[in-house]
Amino acid sequence: MSRDAVTVADFVLNQLAAWGVDTVFGVPGDSVLSLIESLSRDRRVRFIPARHGGAAALMASAYAKVTGRIGACLADAGPGAIQLLTGVYDAHRDRVPLLVLTGEVETQRHGTGWPGDADLGLAYQDCTVYNRTLADAVQAPQILQAGLRQALSGAGPARVGVPKNLWRESVPDAQVQDRPDYLQGSPPVDHRLCEAGAHLLDAAERPVIFVGQGARQAVGPLLQLAEALTAGIVHTLPATGLVPGDHPLNLGVIGDFGTQAAADALGSADVILVVGSTWWQPEYVSRGARVIQVDRRRSHLGTSFPVAVGIAGLAEDVLPELVKRVQRKPRQGWQAFLQERRRDWERECRGDGQEDGAAGVSPRAAIRGLQRAMPQNAFVTLDVGNNTFWFSRYFQGQGQRIVLSGYWRAVGFALPAAVAVQLAHPDRPVVAVTGDGGLNMHLAEFTTAVQHRLPIRVVVLKDGVWAREWSRQVERGLDVHGVEFADPDFARFAEACGGVGLVAGTAAEVEDRLRAAFRDARPAIVEVPVPRTRPAWPRPLAARDGAAGTVRGTAPGREPLPARR
């Protein structure tokens, strides 16, 4: 090979840089050392070594979620590549672009049962939009560029496998392609459909706006529309903080981890405007409700639920058109219903004053203390479990950005995601909110934050149990078995790693300790002992009516609407 020849490893690096991929998360391994060598010589693309492959892929997925660019992860052949799958599935289910680079055994050893040999094409088949392995160096430009294009246009993971012996091979035609601008374009607004949507909203007696994170750039017109219609606002968990938490029409998160106020409002609606979300739980939706959906991807319209009017386009383009077209109409009965539900939620958030006890801080008080200390420009990476419920139910955001494993629901997401988000946004505070079960899964990644001087703050609700599973066992009258575990002293662990370790034993200390963590430039863990508490899960409105009569304050005219023709 000549001195000027471009190797597969160098070509991969050049192509990633041309597409704006600036970070690769991974775990070193023998079959990818040649690529890591290229990354070490050319720092346009930084390599962040994680402690576990699953965490590396979760980092890459979180990075893509908060940047809008392609995330990238790297792993060795065999076990390393298989470990990535949890994070790859997270990107797949949450529809974010991801490039997965997997090393493989030498081409002559494929299919021989050699150590590390695996059919990665089969393993990744279900969770990728593109899935290929190089058989020759000459294929590198076509396969890598196709993978990048598919990841971006298909909003999902693309896997490119490279056998160990090919990384140092010369690429005959190493021409790099720039990222095409047209791959992520949005369709022009169809004014005819906007007129149809406005007509349906005007006819509504009980309108609700269901907000997802796709409405992030359209908060102003969204609130104008809600106020003109007297429409209740419910939102997905990732959209927490998008609509001001103290807005009188905001009723909180909808779904199993949501508020009863949101469940009652959506369960009473006759017209629902869904903006920037594909999340849907049919049991919380009023039967007969007519649905208008606004989404920047035409392919998302009607995929999760039936729609009467589907409008493709950016929320910031579509919502002003709806605002111009709808008529202000008094809906006094509906307004009173929404106000009562809002008051119920606020009373629940304030609590009964019994916040501290021998078993620790109540989860509600812990989240409210966290809210008081949380900067408005913060990112919050959220784990999966009962901690998700407490946060979703009681955190009333004011501009914060929530990052979570939405559809895949990967326990252990919060800490590795916080590492990635802090790398993507070094000038903004990042807080990971987790339970002790989820934190234990990827606790070693705290040392990744220490190594890279990332001042993440981890708030861990510690009760020594897989709380959601414990809750279900108790609710169903089952034996409490297999859900308890021994925790380390998280604060001392943080100190041992070179970070900050703090313990909050009272509700007041939760706020104080988190503020103290923000004043320190080192990564921190704030340990909050909490009692084992069963959440009061929201119930769909239909489940509350029953044979005994209707719920207090039932919405006016809540009889089912005629089915759509």
Side-chain angles (χ1 to χ4, degrees), residues 361-439:
V361 186
S362 78
R364 181 201 63 79
I367 296 302
R368 298 297 281 175
L370 181 151
Q371 176 180 312
R372 289 190 294 272
M374 187 77 70
Q376 291 190 4
N377 67 334
F379 282 91
V380 180
T381 62
L382 191 59
D383 222 302
V384 176
N386 273 10
N387 60 92
T388 318
F389 173 86
W390 302 122
F391 184 90
S392 177
R393 186 88 162 205
Y394 298 124
F395 185 86
Q396 295 180 332
Q398 296 288 342
Q400 296 85 8
R401 174 85 180 268
I402 313 302
V403 187
L404 73 157
S405 179
Y407 279 90
W408 187 235
R409 297 185 177 181
V411 180
F413 175 85
L415 175 53
V419 170
V421 174
Q422 193 71 84
L423 284 163
H425 294 279
D427 57 336
R428 292 177 62 176
V430 178
V431 179
V433 178
T434 180
D436 43 358
L439 182 57

Side-chain angles (χ1 to χ4, degrees), residues 116-245:
D117 183 28
D119 189 342
L120 296 182
L122 181 61
Y124 278 80
Q125 181 176 337
D126 182 54
C127 59
T128 53
V129 295
Y130 186 83
N131 183 18
R132 297 288 188 275
T133 295
L134 269 65
D136 191 282
V138 72
Q139 297 175 312
Q142 182 177 2
I143 287 181
L144 183 61
Q145 290 160 4
L148 289 166
R149 291 172 64 89
Q150 289 298 318
L152 200 58
S153 63
R159 185 194 74 90
V160 174
V162 181
K164 177 182 175 180
N165 58 300
L166 294 186
W167 287 113
R168 307 314 302 172
E169 291 291 319
S170 177
V171 179
D173 182 7
Q175 184 175 356
V176 169
Q177 288 186 358
D178 293 331
R179 180 181 60 190
D181 293 334
Y182 56 79
L183 285 179
Q184 287 187 298
S186 298
V189 176
D190 188 323
H191 296 284
R192 179 184 58 84
L193 292 173
C194 289
E195 190 67 38
H199 178 74
L200 194 54
L201 289 169
D202 282 336
E205 294 297 328
R206 305 179 299 280
V208 166
I209 302 178
F210 186 169
V211 182
Q213 58 183 333
R216 190 164 300 280
Q217 304 302 320
V219 176
L222 189 153
L223 294 179
Q224 286 181 301
L225 186 62
E227 291 162 4
L229 296 168
T230 315
I233 301 172
V234 303
H235 57 81
T236 64
L237 182 48
T240 300
L242 189 157
V243 177

